[in-house]
Amino acid sequence: MSVPESDAEPEAPSPELFDKIVNLAKRRGFVFPSAEIYGGFRSTYDYGPVGVLLLRNVKDAWWRSMVQLRHDVVGLDAAILSPPQVWEASGHLANFTDPLVDCTKCQSRWRLDKLDDPDVCPSCGARGSFTEPRAFNLMFKTHAGPVEGAGHEVYLRPETAQGMFVNFANVLNTSRKRPPFGIAQIGKSFRNEITPGNFVFRTREFEQMEMEFFVPPDEAERWYGYWCDERYRWYLDHGMPSHLLRLRPHDADELSHYSSGTSDVEFLFPWGWDELEGIANRGDYDLTQHSKHSGEKLDYFDQATGERYVPHVIEPAAGATRTAFAFLIAAYDTEEVRGEERTVLRLHHRIAPYKVAVLPLSRKDELTGPARDVFDLLAARWMVDYDETQAIGRRYRRQDEIGTPYCVTFDFESIDDGAVTVRDRDSMDQERVPIAELVDHLAQRLT
Ligand code: GAP
């Protein structure tokens, strides 16, 4: 496999950076604590006016490369609520558990497998105070209809993947695809995490971007390598620096029971290397299980060879919310400009919330009217911000802090020469561009 792995210990983003990002996220409208006016709801977050664009861009970039640009992958949007049979077949009812221990001294609750020392409570320091571990199922359970209790239980999906497996035959019969082909889905998943934390890194409600790629069994190993390469490259192509990224194959004792190979794309977070995405070779486990439990045939008949087989599955499974957070960390930069500190998010233009900001130099009607026309011209094509408050320097700084690649300023000269100033976020270079050429000028830079 040609994917490079980093062995040298690169410089990790600092813990102070973590606090700066959390602060910036709130201050600039990326992420707000959920239900904040009621004191917040632990480890649950809302995406604000800028954050919703960032998250959407991450998902769009994934969809573009995984579905739009490929002839062998189709999309799906399956239901979030699902009956117990799905989770019985998938193994989640029996196995989707974390080992939970309680400290009998201070009543704090921990995931045993995440403790540095399994005998010492990190909260009160007591030794040997933990209860016996209990298997805690991470799925959120609710009930459908007015009657609670047995027979009415439904689950919020803990992953989007099962929606693709249970729809395998529907998609095969309607999409005119044959293995190797994939089904992709983006959507919310829910896990009752015992220890959520690190801001939006681990939350109970989050978004996933998953693709199930169905292949003839003897091609599984080759496709597994292919998807590891593809997915690693996707992060680099969208501006992640290679020293903050690595592909880590799982050791044999880390593998899920159904997986014959898994590699994680990991990012160097301020607390160390941690997972952004897992790429797994799941064999025929999922289709076989759902076939057994549903009684439906979930296989493929190859008319060319006369062979019938259960396809094997290669699954690249990424987190959208987690990846958006990693992009923020990777893009954050500060530098000194004329004796003042400038904070700038050097986001790839495809990930940046706004592509352009239109800024009339002053609030006078003679400038704001035509500046709004420039906004209309550009907004038909890109997500554009419009801001006429404060001095121009402060407006540039605000756009730098939310990662806007280009600012377009309409000034008094613009009225006479029909041109505007285009400022580049990274170099801060400015150039004069005729409004008639503005769309082409930006399009060349925002492809
Ligand atoms: N279908 C396989 C699957 O769901 P996973 O490793 O459990 O695999 C895939 O999840 C990705 O979803 C993770 O790599 C991570 O990016 C994201 N993810 C999982 N749990 C999460 C959580 N509690 N909060 C935020 N993202 C999460």
Side-chain angles (χ1 to χ4, degrees), residues 298-320:
L298 299 176
D299 57 14
Y300 175 71
F301 178 66
D302 187 338
Q303 285 181 335
T305 61
E307 226 191 315
R308 183 175 286 283
Y309 62 85
V310 178
H312 283 208
V313 170
I314 311 301
E315 176 196 69

Side-chain angles (χ1 to χ4, degrees), residues 61 232-245 267 323 326-332 345-352 425-426:
Y232 182 82
R233 195 168 35 236
W234 182 86
Y235 294 90
L236 295 178
D237 287 349
H238 291 86
M240 288 264 181
S242 58
H243 73 278
L244 297 181
L245 207 61
F267 178 76
T323 299
F327 274 123
L328 278 186
I329 295 171
Y332 188 94
L345 287 187
R346 300 192 193 277
L347 289 165
H348 187 281
H349 63 76
R350 220 172 261 150
I351 303 297
R425 175 196 69 199
D426 294 331

Side-chain angles (χ1 to χ4, degrees), residues 204-249:
R204 298 199 170 102
E205 177 178 347
F206 55 97
E207 279 198 87
Q208 288 187 306
M209 312 183 286
E210 296 195 283
M211 198 270 288
E212 311 302 325
F213 202 70
F214 302 93
V215 302
D218 60 354
E219 294 181 20
E221 208 40 47
R222 182 168 70 75
W223 281 109
Y224 170 62
Y226 169 88
W227 281 111
C228 285
D229 279 2
E230 279 293 299
R231 292 305 307 148
Y232 182 82
R233 195 168 35 236
W234 182 86
Y235 294 90
L236 295 178
D237 287 349
H238 291 86
M240 288 264 181
S242 58
H243 73 278
L244 297 181
L245 207 61
R246 74 178 184 189
L247 186 71
R248 188 184 65 82

Side-chain angles (χ1 to χ4, degrees), residues 159 191 193 201 203 206 208 210 275-276 315 319 322:
E159 60 172 21
R191 297 183 188 178
E193 300 281 3
F201 178 80
T203 49
F206 55 97
Q208 288 187 306
E210 296 195 283
E275 176 186 338
L276 289 180
E315 176 196 69
R322 192 177 281 189

